[in-house]
Amino acid sequence: MKYRQMETKFWEDGYILELTNKEREFFLYLFTNPKVTMCGIYELSDKTITYTLGATLAELNAFKNKFQSDNKYAFYKGWVYIINFNKYNSFSPAENIEKAFVKDFNAIPPEVTDYFFDTLSFTYNLPENYNTDIV
């Protein structure tokens, strides 16, 4: 089982306060669902999302468009990138944690990382204490 900590000030964040209940639920789901990896880039099908949240495909597409244009999440062929994931998460320098992070990151297909980092020009910052040669 994975654990994800959320700061309680999340509920008072200006961006979050402007979301509808369904948008807020989708936002939280993308951050806390069982598929989220240590690197914040993971595969999650639209079918799983719509089934879990009871959303229509039209709603799902509207949520995706909103969150991508707001620079919160990016989406590509069933993959999700939590754009500021590392900014709000700190990771242990323990070797087993670093290895798990590297395993998660290296499991992302090159086509997906190329899209997020080259096509969309997002940057990805490894946790400060991690060796940049590992990814």
Side-chain angles (χ1 to χ4, degrees), residues 7 23 30 36 38 53 85 91 99 108 121 123 128 134:
E7 292 204 25
E23 289 169 337
L30 291 176
V36 177
M38 289 184 65
L53 298 181
F85 193 74
F91 299 99
K99 283 182 181 179
I108 304 166
S121 300
T123 57
E128 287 181 24
I134 58 176

Side-chain angles (χ1 to χ4, degrees), residues 19-103:
L19 299 176
T20 67
N21 286 339
K22 280 192 162 198
E23 289 169 337
R24 204 169 20 255
E25 179 183 28
F26 184 62
F27 188 99
L28 277 170
Y29 178 73
L30 291 176
F31 190 75
T32 61
N33 75 77
K35 299 284 188 174
V36 177
T37 63
M38 289 184 65
C39 59
I41 301 171
Y42 60 93
E43 190 171 21
L44 182 65
S45 71
D46 287 354
K47 186 175 184 175
T48 299
I49 298 169
T50 56
Y51 175 79
T52 303
L53 298 181
T56 65
L57 277 177
E59 288 174 319
L60 175 62
N61 288 328
F63 297 153
K64 284 180 167 185
N65 289 335
K66 175 177 180 41
F67 291 138
Q68 187 154 321
S69 68
D70 291 349
N71 211 35
K72 302 298 182 186
Y73 294 94
F75 305 93
Y76 179 70
K77 294 187 177 181
W79 285 80
V80 179
Y81 174 30
I82 305 171
I83 295 171
N84 288 322
F85 193 74
N86 283 348
K87 180 178 176 181
Y88 296 104
N89 288 279
S90 57
F91 299 99
S92 166
E95 186 177 339
N96 63 326
I97 302 296
E98 187 173 345
K99 283 182 181 179
F101 179 94
V102 170
K103 181 181 175 192

Side-chain angles (χ1 to χ4, degrees), residues 106-123:
N106 288 337
I108 304 166
E111 175 186 0
V112 175
T113 55
D114 288 349
Y115 180 77
F116 290 141
F117 306 138
D118 296 336
T119 304
L120 296 181
S121 300
F122 288 122
T123 57

